Amino acid sequence: MSDLSATSLTDPQTWVPGVPHEAFDLLREDGGISWVEPETGGYWALTGYDEIAAVSKDHDRFTVEQGSFYPRPAPEVLDSQRGMLLLMDPPDHTRLRRMVSKSFTPRVVGKFDTWIRDVVVQILDEVPETEPFDFISVVAARIPGLVIASILGIDEEKDRELIVDCANDIFAIDAPDGPERHVRAQERLAQYVVELRDHKRLYPGDDMVTSLIDARDENGELLTDQEYVKYIALLVLAGYETTHTLLGQTMLAMIEHPEIADQLQAAVADGGSSGAVEELLRFVTPVNYFSRTATEDVELNGCRIRKGDEVVLWYTAGNRDPKVFPEPHRFDPTRSPNMHMAFGGGGVHHCMGNHVARLEVRLFLEEVFARGLEFELAGEAVRGANIFANQLKSLPVRRTAGGAR
């Protein structure tokens, strides 16, 4: 891919063979910021760690309210996203985040360890002994799907499947029929979470939906219907896609690069599973980018960003910036410090559910190695034609003879 032009980074087909790291390395030589003009229109590509962090933390001059995807979505898609934290700047963002963030503090998530481990164990114990299977649908999608369902208080298997189906359709926005699928899935998910809230009013439980029914801001105001719907929808999407992608890419890396599997196993055995998860987050970077729009003229590294210009924050490039990460293309679970951008570049939009995602992947690694599970490819891995996520659509595998519980 050394001759890959910067303009093709926004072509979904560019991502099918893998993340175009060589193209990002070349772009980064421009000083971490480059003007790129694909057919979809010009935008500023940020590929340097410091540049991405600067814009991420500057919500006054770089807004998300005009959309966080590039190219800017169709009006109907953007309308379906409005009201989400993802498309809010302070003070609206601050008010809503304060109301819901108590559910995801490290202290609260620390209490999830036992039951999330039970979910991981259940799924791994159901892995076929000898028959090939799709790791994505059998393991990588089910773990976050069941975790999110439990957090929300969803018991029915068909409802859990609905969540996964909606998430898959919403993140298929780069497909030819992506915008239509995206809007339909948003509407379907919104209808479901309203029904779920109504059910929890009659049958409350120890779950997030029940707690949000009575959540109030500093003025004593309850969540509006739209705020409730949009927050639960974002929780489902963010909680599913990041973990589902990271688990799939982790397994593929372990199979294709046995030295990575050895490094991960050694890290877990030495009590370094948390550090291993941080390096996987940096190395994989499940979410490739988010975008911002300049609200005024801004100068960054000698480049004049005009009011209204779109700015794409390529987290996957920032996570391979050699100024911050020595030998950035080498996997090193002992890397320290490891201030990666897998959950954003800092600022108010840092992923609120990051502690849950970290916990899921750590427990997965611990239980895989505790059981001596080993896998091999049983077919070709299929990557998604997706700019936004480092997506695997399928990963056919089978257990190897040496992989015993």
Side-chain angles (χ1 to χ4, degrees), residues 2 80 142 153 238 296 303 390 397:
S2 59
S80 73
R142 289 188 66 212
E296 59 183 74
C303 296
N390 188 6
V397 301

Side-chain angles (χ1 to χ4, degrees), residues 49-117:
Y49 185 98
D50 291 341
E51 290 72 27
I52 294 169
V55 171
S56 297
K57 297 171 183 176
D58 190 351
H59 57 79
D60 289 327
R61 297 190 297 175
F62 296 96
T63 181
V64 297
E65 294 187 351
Q66 296 184 39
S68 55
F69 295 96
Y70 180 88
R72 195 164 291 157
E76 62 271 19
V77 173
L78 196 57
D79 287 344
S80 73
Q81 298 170 349
R82 293 204 183 281
M84 284 187 172
L85 278 168
L86 193 64
L87 265 68
M88 283 185 182
D89 290 322
D92 293 337
H93 180 278
T94 306
R95 170 186 168 273
L96 183 54
R97 183 160 178 137
R98 281 177 179 168
M99 291 178 72
V100 300
S101 61
K102 294 178 182 178
S103 302
F104 283 115
T105 64
R107 186 174 182 179
V108 171
V109 173
K111 300 176 182 178
F112 293 177
D113 188 301
T114 299
W115 70 261
I116 291 182
R117 190 181 295 275

Side-chain angles (χ1 to χ4, degrees), residues 210-221:
T210 299
S211 68
L212 288 178
I213 290 173
D214 294 319
R216 296 177 183 271
D217 63 17
E218 60 271 21
N219 297 318
E221 297 293 328

